[in-house]
Amino acid sequence: MVTVLTSGNGKAIVGGSNKPTSEERRVSLLTLCGLALVIGVMTGFGAVAFRALIAFVHNLSYNGRLSFVYDANVSEGPSRFGDFVLLSPIIGGLIVVFLVKRFAPEAKGHGVPEVMDAVFYKHGNIRGTVAVIKALASALSIGSGAAVGREGPIIQIGSALGSSFAQFIGLSTWQKITLLSAGAGAGIAATFNTPLGGVLFALEILLPEVSNRTFLPVVVATGAATTIGRIMIGPDPAFAVPDVQFPMVASFNVQEAVAFVLLGLLCGFAAWAFIRLLVFMEDGFPKLPGNEYTQNIVGMAVIGLMMVGLTRTFGHSYIDGVGYSVIQTILDHKMTSAGLLALLFAMKLIATTVSLGCGASGGIFSPSLYLGATLGAAFAAATSSILPHSGLTPSSAAIVGMAAIVGAGTGGVMTAIVMVFEMTRDYAIIVPVIVAVALAAGVRRALVNETIYTVKLRHRGHRIPKERHINLYLVRQAQDIMERRFIVAKAGTTLKQTMLAEDTDDARAIVVEREGRIAGLIPPRSGLWVESQTNPDLLVERFAESQVVICRDDDLLSLVFARLKRRRAGAAIVFRGASRPRVSDIVGIITKRAIADEVISSYED
């Protein structure tokens, strides 16, 4: 516990022992890969069970029958319950709110932000309870009609399995994070039958470090989960993609290039709209009168009314659940009306953001695919007369649009490109997809710097590094390495008074205060001890750095490093509490020596 000892000369020595943390267990890379294999198998079976649970809830709430058999890619037509189907998302939503509020608040929403938060701010710790509650809550949300996806939940479920398993055997932080990421990649791979996409998702979105020690376990886990998925579900990818003839690079004409460029730009704006509307809904619903239950009733009633309205007009509810049947219909060339496609895009955008805003549990990956497919197909249908030689058809444009919105919205551009390639298995698609994804990601980043995953964490004050470096010190926080012993000297104190204490030496930082406020900082080993012997009457504030760097105790080290570099400072003050800290809020000092020790300790040869 930090104590403050004040002497009569106006100087305070703040002390506190830096207790060494207990040794964390580290296993060999071979053993870690073996553990990742177990996680992959568990996640593969978990993905199969999760899909069966969704099928059970859907069949019960939509068709009034008990069955675990359900093909989300097949359009079913109107519900057996007619207009009373609007009650389905309301009832399901109320149960979800109870489960989430009572057992696992982390299970609310689309899941991936919570996983990222665990990686960077919770030392890779996710409670095992989250896997169970997330599976139940998401199955209820998706099956009862909420317009959310099943990929986000299985990512969180796989991550929770990996983290819980690592915590149980007491692994170190970086190995815990590796198994967590392996579980996430395994979830994506098992769901879409895209093992490379699963690996890239873990590398692009979650892992702070890309090296053999993190890459190999992820590959093992995704391979194992894909194998289980192919055995239990089937060898086909998520969608049956017909032969789509994309022009090769050599045969590109001006209209083809213009078409892909325009589609990419359009998808970038759509991804931006998706992010902004989701933020608006997630911020807006908690402000409504009542509590979580009444807010959920309002949101789910909107979803139910949309389902009834679409069914009465077109014979199908279209916007509920994962929406795979609409995507498959577009890919099968059975939905080509630009007006209907544009309408479905707008309604799915609203339905998904309303669902997540009012408390549903589910992902945004499937809705992103839906939005990309409808927007791309609508674009192709609308521009067919303007660009007759573009080579775009509704189905081919849907594929490009799916990759563009997923890549732009999530920030996983390589994940989106490779996953769409794995789905289509057509190499000619690579160039159009790369062009569209790059432009979409650029437009989205120009309009909003955060992705749909990180924007939620940014509102909590948790910033996720956008550039990945090759060291896991990025997941460390200021409080993890700060030095808790330092000196506080009042302005006007002489060097002799400051250095009077017997145990005081030049190795400690000195915080200069004036009327309780921070007036300056003198880094350790600044030569002040020698100066106090030759010029003892000089005032201590003369030696303080004018540009003081301050940071919160839970700020990531990457943020602290950036501030130290920008100010060219020798140390940083760490505080807890108020936004305008006073001396009493200081809990430690980050010195360059502490930073060097942390970087060295995290390095392995």
Side-chain angles (χ1 to χ4, degrees):
M1 182 177 179
V2 175
T3 58
V4 181
L5 307 175
T6 306
S7 59
N9 57 10
K11 176 189 67 177
I13 299 178
V14 182
S17 59
N18 281 324
K19 295 182 180 180
T21 57
S22 58
E23 285 294 322
E24 294 179 312
R25 181 181 181 183
R26 295 188 180 185
V27 297
S28 66
L29 180 57
L30 182 61
T31 303
L32 192 64
C33 288
L35 296 175
L37 178 64
V38 175
I39 298 301
V41 171
M42 292 171 60
T43 304
F45 281 112
V48 174
F50 181 56
R51 290 175 64 147
L53 190 57
I54 293 173
F56 178 81
V57 176
H58 172 80
N59 286 326
L60 183 63
S61 62
Y62 196 82
N63 298 317
R65 59 188 176 90
L66 299 177
S67 174
F68 290 98
V69 179
Y70 167 55
D71 188 350
N73 291 37
V74 177
S75 298
E76 294 181 299
S79 168
R80 179 179 177 181
F81 299 112
D83 291 351
F84 288 105
V85 73
L86 70 86
L87 298 176
S88 175
I90 296 175
I91 296 171
L94 290 174
I95 301 174
V96 168
V97 172
F98 170 76
L99 290 174
V100 169
K101 187 176 181 180
R102 176 67 176 82
F103 299 105
E106 310 97 306
K108 180 181 178 181
H110 46 107
V112 177
E114 304 302 331
V115 177
M116 298 175 75
D117 201 37
V119 169
F120 286 94
Y121 286 93
K122 298 179 181 177
H123 304 287
N125 293 324
I126 301 178
R127 296 185 300 142
T129 308
V130 173
V132 177
I133 300 303
K134 187 68 178 181
L136 291 173
S138 296
L140 282 165
S141 288
I142 298 168
S144 63
V148 291
R150 65 190 182 199
E151 293 72 32
I154 194 58
I155 289 170
Q156 193 171 11
I157 291 167
S159 299
L161 291 174
S163 175
S164 300
F165 192 61
Q167 290 178 69
F168 178 75
I169 58 181
L171 293 184
S172 63
T173 296
W174 79 261
Q175 292 188 331
K176 198 188 311 174
I177 290 173
T178 300
L179 289 185
L180 177 156
S181 302
I188 281 283
T191 299
F192 282 112
N193 193 12
T194 54
L196 290 178
V199 170
L200 284 173
F201 179 88
L203 298 183
E204 272 194 297
I205 305 297
L206 297 178
L207 279 173
E209 173 187 323
V210 179
S211 62
N212 283 340
R213 68 176 185 170
T214 58
F215 178 75
L216 292 177
V218 171
V219 171
V220 170
T222 54
T226 304
T227 301
I228 296 298
R230 288 177 176 176
I231 293 172
M232 302 292 293
I233 302 172
D236 298 323
F239 304 107
V241 181
D243 292 333
V244 179
Q245 296 300 318
F246 282 92
M248 298 301 290
V249 178
S251 64
F252 257 31
N253 60 45
V254 174
Q255 288 194 19
E256 291 164 351
V258 169
F260 289 124
V261 167
L262 291 177
L263 180 55
L265 296 175
L266 184 62
C267 289
F269 282 105
W272 166 77
F274 191 16
I275 294 171
R276 298 309 305 169
L277 190 57
L278 180 59
V279 170
F280 175 78
M281 294 296 183
E282 289 183 332
D283 290 344
F285 268 95
K287 298 177 182 177
L288 294 178
N291 55 24
E292 292 94 332
Y293 293 98
T294 57
Q295 293 159 7
N296 187 267
I297 289 173
V298 172
M300 289 297 109
V302 171
I303 303 302
L305 290 172
M306 292 173 73
M307 292 170 62
V308 171
L310 286 170
T311 301
R312 281 177 168 270
T313 306
F314 301 105
H316 194 280
S317 55
Y318 285 129
I319 53 91
D320 57 308
V322 295
Y324 284 0
S325 60
V326 172
I327 298 174
Q328 190 62 61
T329 302
I330 295 172
L331 296 178
D332 290 337
H333 311 286
K334 295 178 181 178
M335 187 180 292
T336 58
S337 170
L340 175 59
L341 290 164
L343 175 65
L344 294 183
F345 168 83
M347 296 195 73
K348 186 69 171 183
L349 182 64
I350 296 171
T352 299
T353 53
V354 166
S355 296
L356 292 171
C358 73
S361 178
I364 54 89
F365 213 98
S366 291
S368 296
L369 292 173
Y370 185 111
L371 294 174
T374 51
L375 183 62
F379 174 82
T383 60
S384 59
S385 59
I386 304 173
L387 300 171
H389 303 295
S390 66
L392 271 185
T393 64
S395 55
S396 64
I399 295 172
V400 176
M402 288 161 62
I405 289 190
V406 168
T410 66
V413 291
M414 286 302 299
T415 301
I417 293 169
V418 171
M419 284 186 67
V420 169
F421 172 63
E422 286 185 289
M423 290 179 187
T424 61
R425 299 169 187 176
D426 182 359
Y427 186 74
I429 196 178
I430 291 295
V431 172
V433 166
I434 288 176
V435 171
V437 171
L439 289 169
V443 169
R444 189 274 304 162
R445 188 157 187 171
L447 295 173
V448 54
N449 200 31
E450 302 294 334
T451 69
I452 203 163
Y453 294 146
T454 62
V455 70
K456 185 175 182 179
L457 300 179
R458 180 67 179 267
H459 283 194
R460 302 179 191 172
H462 288 184
R463 299 186 180 184
I464 303 300
K466 293 179 177 59
E467 306 298 336
R468 297 294 192 262
H469 300 269
I470 57 171
N471 207 299
L472 271 167
Y473 61 72
L474 285 177
V475 302
R476 304 286 282 177
Q477 299 172 10
Q479 61 189 341
D480 295 329
I481 72 165
M482 68 183 184
E483 296 183 2
R484 302 175 189 274
R485 296 177 63 83
F486 54 92
I487 300 170
V488 177
K490 291 183 178 179
T493 305
T494 64
L495 295 184
K496 181 179 179 180
Q497 291 173 320
T498 303
M499 298 295 178
L500 188 61
E502 293 182 1
D503 61 344
T504 299
D505 56 36
D506 203 34
R508 296 189 193 174
I510 300 175
V511 178
V512 180
E513 71 151 319
R514 181 178 287 109
E515 297 180 354
R517 298 185 181 276
I518 300 169
L521 174 67
I522 304 174
R525 307 194 191 286
S526 56
L528 208 61
W529 177 262
V530 174
E531 189 69 28
S532 69
Q533 306 304 308
T534 57
N535 297 292
D537 294 328
L538 291 178
L539 299 182
V540 68
E541 59 263 31
R542 287 186 55 182
F543 301 88
E545 291 184 347
S546 58
Q547 297 288 333
V548 179
V549 174
I550 61 173
C551 61
R552 293 185 181 276
D553 55 347
D554 60 354
D555 279 344
L556 293 179
L557 288 188
S558 57
L559 179 62
V560 180
F561 292 177
R563 290 177 179 173
L564 286 171
K565 179 181 178 181
R566 187 166 57 248
R567 299 284 183 88
R568 297 183 179 180
I573 295 174
V574 183
F575 72 96
R576 178 181 299 139
S579 57
R580 298 177 65 88
R582 299 177 64 85
V583 171
S584 58
D585 298 317
I586 299 174
V587 293
I589 306 292
I590 290 183
T591 64
K592 290 184 176 180
R593 180 179 61 182
I595 292 172
D597 289 344
E598 174 61 24
V599 174
I600 292 170
S601 67
S602 64
Y603 178 78
E604 291 188 2
D605 54 16

